């Protein structure tokens, strides 16, 4: 494991942890599809202009599938769950992502789930629940299903991104651009049909959308997909709890929300599980940028 790679990849979920505060403080209310569109498509087009590489052959289809799973389906479902349920409940449901990835890695990558990974995932979910779960708010069935579906979508996209790697000569910048653009194009007609014309935007909203599109999406997803190419899928997904932990810290520091001793204990548990999820005992052969190390089988995972 390279600590620098883990730390850079961790910046992605840390950035995503600021999304709730930016959305509630700067953006128009009740426009989840438009917000998802503004996060994905501008970021994808900017990265596409920088990368100057288009998919070829089978990668047109693969990029569309990954874009749908990681962006096009994930964003609307995520925002739907957030609007249907309190943010804490949505985060708790979504915190089972590492367990989804452990199961999908067994099916698609041939990586056997271990008791250690399952227990670590359960501890991470429990820790997140202590941090974000509040007494107020009922479990909305539609919201809960949307949260589970968004988590499953992102988990499947993470594992498939690891399985397919990247075409020769294509870097993570281009792969990120393809997915964000494909996902944004998928969201665009839904936003127009369901939510209608875009809302009027003031300066605060423009600033909020610029932050979400550039730092929160373009840079963060580039770091995320770069990390998937260099770490195992399980290692990457165990960085996910950093997002609700960051949201709690931002709420305390910027929005005046108190942190109780129980929440602090939950943060310690979730952070400990995140660190434990980066340790891959027995893995010695390196894998770099989505390419297999010499001597490994297709789909095999090794640590960097």
């Amino acid at each position: 494991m390279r600590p620098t790679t883990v730390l850079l990849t961790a910046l992605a979920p840390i950035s995503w942890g600021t999304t709730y505060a930016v959305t509630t403080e700067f953006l128009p209310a009740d426009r989840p599809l438009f917000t998802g569109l503004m996060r994905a498509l501008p970021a994808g087009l900017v990265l596409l202009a920088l990368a100057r590489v288009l998919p070829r052959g089978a990668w047109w289809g693969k990029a569309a599938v990954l874009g749908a799973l990681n962006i096009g389906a994930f964003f609307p479902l995520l925002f739907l769950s957030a609007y249907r349920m309190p943010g804490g409940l949505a985060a708790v449901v979504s915190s089972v992502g590492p367990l989804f990835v452990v199961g999908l890695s067994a099916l698609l990558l041939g990586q056997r789930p271990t008791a250690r990974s399952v227990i670590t995932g359960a501890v991470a979910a429990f820790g997140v629940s202590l941090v974000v779960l509040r007494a107020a708010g009922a479990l909305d069935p539609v919201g809960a299903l949307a949260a589970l579906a968004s988590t499953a979508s992102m988990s499947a996209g993470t594992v498939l991104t690891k399985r397919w790697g990247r075409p020769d000569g294509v870097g993570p910048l281009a792969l990120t651009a393809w997915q964000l653009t494909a996902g944004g194009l998928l969201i665009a007609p839904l936003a127009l049909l369901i939510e209608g014309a875009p809302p009027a935007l003031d300066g605060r909203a423009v600033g909020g959308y610029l932050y979400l599109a550039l730092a929160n999406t373009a840079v963060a997803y580039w770091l995320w997909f770069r990390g998937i190419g260099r770490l195992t899928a399980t290692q990457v997904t165990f960085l996910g709890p950093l997002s609700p932990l960051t949201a709690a810290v931002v709420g305390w520091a910027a929005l005046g929300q108190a942190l109780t001793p129980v929440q602090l204990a939950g943060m310690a548990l979730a952070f400990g599980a995140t660190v434990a999820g980066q340790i891959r005992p027995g893995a010695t052969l390196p894998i770099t940028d989505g390419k297999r190390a010499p001597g490994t089988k297709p789909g095999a995972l090794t640590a960097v």
Side-chain angles (χ1 to χ4, degrees):
M1 175 182 66
R2 293 178 182 173
T4 301
T5 300
V6 173
L7 291 174
L8 287 175
T9 308
L11 291 177
I14 289 173
S15 172
W16 297 335
T18 66
T19 303
Y20 178 78
V22 172
T23 300
T24 56
E25 298 298 315
F26 292 91
L27 304 184
D30 301 322
R31 302 302 294 263
L33 289 172
F34 180 74
T35 297
L37 173 64
M38 292 299 290
R39 281 189 70 186
L41 191 55
L45 294 176
V46 167
L47 294 185
L48 197 60
L50 292 174
R52 297 185 179 183
V53 178
L54 292 176
R56 293 184 180 179
W59 267 97
W60 282 102
K62 290 181 178 180
V65 170
L66 294 177
L69 291 172
N70 287 320
I71 308 296
F74 175 68
F75 279 3
L77 289 168
L78 178 68
F79 283 113
L80 175 60
S81 68
Y83 277 95
R84 300 278 305 200
M85 296 192 302
L89 285 172
V92 170
V93 176
S94 300
S95 67
V96 298
L99 298 178
F100 279 164
V101 169
V102 168
L104 289 170
S105 295
L107 292 174
L108 299 177
L109 301 176
Q111 180 185 1
R112 285 186 178 181
T114 64
R116 179 177 171 276
S117 62
V118 173
I119 293 172
T120 304
V123 170
F126 179 66
V128 168
S129 70
L130 293 181
V131 175
V132 300
L133 191 58
R134 305 295 178 91
L139 185 65
D140 179 83
V142 174
L145 287 174
L148 280 174
S150 69
T151 303
S153 180
M154 184 68 165
S155 299
T158 297
V159 174
L160 281 178
T161 300
K162 186 66 185 179
R163 179 178 176 84
W164 288 339
R166 297 195 307 270
D168 290 337
V170 173
L173 187 70
L175 182 64
T176 306
W178 299 347
Q179 295 185 57
L180 287 172
T181 302
L185 291 175
L186 179 63
I187 298 172
L190 295 176
L192 183 62
L193 289 173
I194 296 174
E195 296 180 351
L201 303 178
D202 58 16
R204 288 173 59 85
V206 171
Y209 281 125
L210 283 175
Y211 168 76
L212 287 183
L214 298 178
N216 187 266
T217 302
V219 175
Y221 272 92
W222 169 68
L223 290 172
W224 186 252
F225 293 128
R226 175 184 178 274
I228 291 175
R230 302 185 178 200
L231 304 170
T232 70
T234 304
Q235 281 179 295
V236 172
T237 197
F238 268 110
L239 296 173
L242 292 176
S243 180
L245 297 186
T246 301
V249 172
V250 170
W252 166 75
L255 303 180
Q257 298 172 356
L259 287 174
T260 67
V262 172
Q263 287 178 299
L264 293 174
M267 292 176 72
L269 280 175
F271 185 75
T274 296
V275 173
Q278 306 312 307
I279 301 172
R280 306 291 298 174
T284 57
L285 295 177
I287 186 166
T288 305
D289 292 338
K291 297 180 177 62
R292 286 183 284 119
T296 58
K297 297 180 180 179
L301 296 181
T302 49
V304 175

